[in-house]
């Protein structure tokens, strides 16, 4: 659903957004020859320093390590020819990347800190809380954390794959009120503007539905990064579900944050009300152990705030055990909720479709009244 555009200047100002996450894409930070675009980066740091002086705390999620490392190591395809190349390039480039940020922020008497995280660090509840505690302490100390995925150890199975979604998860961990994804595009268009001259910029999105998702293009325009518009929509879903507004803005110009604040073109995804901590963590998770499909009656009950009962389940998929995170799908295959399973997958398969009073007859016991309790579930 598209609405009248709220102003990024007001939604993401220091007064309205005490903590802001800024994601910088590889195509902005690294030139085609593999060198840092230092003058542009210095202009961005000027913007960050101005916002810091105004009382806003900034967290940076920075791409670029693989591209920088690939140049130094002479690796083909920007260091992405193989997983091993990407890991080696990341290990080499991360040093140069962190040094660059530290030097430029230091010119404004701002202390930088580096945090490297993997998907597992934010998908595991305890590790998420540890990362959150570190971030919030750094912010309280006036330090600017510079975050990147730890690509030197991450594999295809345990990685974010792009820093758009990482930025949204970091916003959740940091308790940020807003996220700015600086990219090489103005925002979300009704169609790919490179192919359709009639494509129009969508200035505001209040809800990410099928119509909005159909507008996204999964490719990375520069060929240097790993995230396209689909990853940005997923980032917007994660951020807004955690109560943080998210803006996709063109960062190719100097002073991109100042430009955005002055009314620069962007797409703003507005956040809904913020939920409780565990539910926010569930909403932001990117992985699940399994899925339960429900009938229309159960879907309607979930929307009204009910727990998921066995009677409303029609199918189960995956190998999960009690306490694992699972997704709940409607009859059309759309993920409508995420929660913690109260039963193992094998038991769900035996009791789905049954009323509560029949569960004990099948399992020999009925210790829990629901497949997923409403207190351990979040609607998406």
């Amino acid at each position: 659903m598209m609405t009248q555009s709220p102003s990024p200047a007001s939604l993401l100002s220091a007064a309205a957004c005490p903590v802001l996450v800024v994601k910088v894409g590889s195509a902005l930070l690294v030139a085609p020859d593999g060198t840092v675009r230092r003058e542009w980066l210095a202009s961005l740091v000027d913007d960050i320093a101005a916002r810091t002086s105004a009382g806003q705390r900034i967290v940076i999620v920075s791409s670029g390590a693989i591209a920088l490392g690939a140049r130094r190591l002479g690796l083909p395809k920007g260091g992405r020819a193989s997983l091993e190349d990407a890991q080696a390039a990341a290990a080499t480039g991360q040093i140069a990347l962190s040094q660059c940020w530290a030097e430029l922020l230091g010119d404004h008497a701002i202390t930088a800190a580096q945090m490297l995280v993997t998907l597992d660090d934010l998908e595991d509840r305890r590790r998420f809380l540890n990362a959150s505690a570190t971030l919030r302490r750094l912010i309280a100390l006036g330090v600017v954390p510079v975050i990147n995925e730890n690509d030197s150890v991450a594999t295809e199975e345990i990685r974010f794959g792009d820093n758009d979604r990482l930025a949204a998860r970091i916003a959740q961990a940091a308790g940020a009120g807003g996220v700015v994804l600086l990219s090489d595009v103005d925002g979300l268009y009704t169609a790919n503007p490179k192919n359709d001259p009639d494509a129009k910029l969508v200035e505001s999105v209040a809800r990410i539905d099928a119509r909005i998702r159909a507008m996204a293009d999964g490719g990375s325009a520069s060929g240097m990064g790993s995230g396209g518009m689909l990853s940005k929509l997923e980032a917007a879903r994660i951020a807004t579900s955690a109560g943080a507004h998210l803006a996709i803005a063109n960062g190719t110009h100097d002073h991109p944050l100042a430009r955005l604040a002055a009314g620069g073109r962007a797409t703003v995804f507005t956040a809904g009300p913020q939920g409780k901590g565990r539910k926010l963590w569930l909403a932001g998770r990117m992985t699940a152990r399994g899925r339960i499909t429900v009938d229309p009656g159960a879907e309607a009950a979930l929307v009204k705030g009910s727990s998921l009962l066995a009677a409303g389940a029609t199918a189960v998929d995956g190998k999960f055990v009690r306490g694992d995170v699972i997704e709940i799908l409607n009859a059309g295959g759309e993920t409508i909720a995420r929660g913690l399973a109260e039963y193992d997958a094998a038991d769900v398969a035996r009791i789905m479709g049954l009323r509560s009073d029949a569960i004990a007859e099948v399992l020999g016991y009925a210790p829990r009244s629901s497949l997923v309790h409403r207190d351990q579930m979040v609607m998406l």
Side-chain angles (χ1 to χ4, degrees), residues 128-290:
F128 173 87
L129 293 175
N130 289 338
S132 177
T134 301
L135 270 173
R136 292 173 190 243
R137 183 56 180 153
L138 289 170
I139 291 168
L141 291 170
V143 174
V144 172
V146 180
I147 317 293
N148 197 4
E149 183 163 13
N150 194 354
D151 288 310
S152 62
V153 298
T155 66
E156 293 299 329
E157 292 78 17
I158 55 166
R159 67 192 307 266
F160 283 90
D162 61 78
N163 276 349
D164 298 321
R165 289 175 287 189
L166 173 59
R169 286 290 262 161
I170 289 297
Q172 183 186 44
V179 180
V180 176
L181 302 180
L182 292 177
S183 186
D184 52 2
V185 295
D186 291 336
L188 175 68
Y189 281 82
T190 53
N192 190 329
K194 293 184 178 180
N195 303 327
D196 188 347
D198 296 324
K200 293 180 173 57
L201 180 69
V202 180
E203 295 185 341
S204 179
V205 178
R207 182 172 180 268
I208 302 172
D209 53 21
R211 182 187 179 194
I212 294 297
R213 285 191 290 270
M215 298 176 186
D217 176 11
S220 174
S222 68
M224 189 179 299
S226 53
M229 191 54 66
L230 287 175
S231 77
K232 290 173 175 55
L233 287 190
E234 177 63 9
R237 182 195 67 77
I238 294 169
T240 55
S241 67
H245 306 297
L246 182 141
I248 302 172
N250 194 323
T252 57
H253 308 279
D254 286 349
H255 299 285
L257 293 182
R259 187 183 181 91
L260 179 64
R265 289 163 63 81
T267 298
V268 180
F269 297 81
T270 54
Q274 190 171 11
K276 295 181 180 180
R278 179 178 287 273
K279 290 196 173 187
L280 294 180
W281 174 73
L282 284 170
R285 277 184 62 99
M286 293 170 53
T287 59
R289 292 286 187 180

Side-chain angles (χ1 to χ4, degrees), residues 37 177 234 352 365:
R37 297 180 62 222
E234 177 63 9
M352 63 183 183
Y365 67 103

Side-chain angles (χ1 to χ4, degrees), residues 117-124 128 131 160 166 169-170 173 281:
V117 298
T118 63
L119 178 63
D120 279 355
D121 292 326
L122 300 182
E123 296 288 271
D124 178 86
F128 173 87
F160 283 90
L166 173 59
R169 286 290 262 161
I170 289 297
W281 174 73

